[in-house]
Amino acid sequence: MNEKELKTQLLEAGATEEQIAKVDFAKIENIIDNASSIEGLSKSLKEAYPDFNEEEFKKAVAENTKDN
């Protein structure tokens, strides 16, 4: 997933341009690229961003997977 895709998804999820401007996309892209599972991805995001809500993330992934 690249920066453009991430920005698009964040906008669709309700993030503002101001919030998006503060995101370190290179760091997130690196985390995503190195993840081998949802659990690993979730753990890495939590380590990098302590306020990251793992449970909500997993719930959203499950819903997205079910919809597809």
Side-chain angles (χ1 to χ4, degrees):
M1 182 174 291
N2 64 34
E3 185 174 332
K4 183 178 178 182
E5 292 170 330
L6 287 169
K7 284 182 179 180
T8 300
Q9 288 185 2
L10 288 169
L11 286 170
E12 289 173 356
T16 66
E17 291 286 344
E18 184 178 279
Q19 291 169 320
I20 291 173
K22 296 177 185 176
V23 175
D24 183 349
F25 286 99
K27 185 175 186 177
I28 294 173
E29 192 171 340
N30 185 46
I31 290 170
I32 292 170
D33 289 345
N34 290 307
S36 59
S37 68
I38 295 299
E39 288 296 323
L41 175 59
S42 181
K43 182 179 177 185
S44 295
L45 287 168
K46 182 69 173 178
E47 288 172 1
Y49 302 98
D51 293 337
F52 176 72
N53 188 327
E54 291 179 89
E55 292 307 314
E56 285 298 317
F57 173 74
K58 290 176 189 176
K59 185 177 173 182
V61 169
E63 283 295 317
N64 190 31
T65 302
K66 186 172 30 173
D67 291 343
N68 291 327

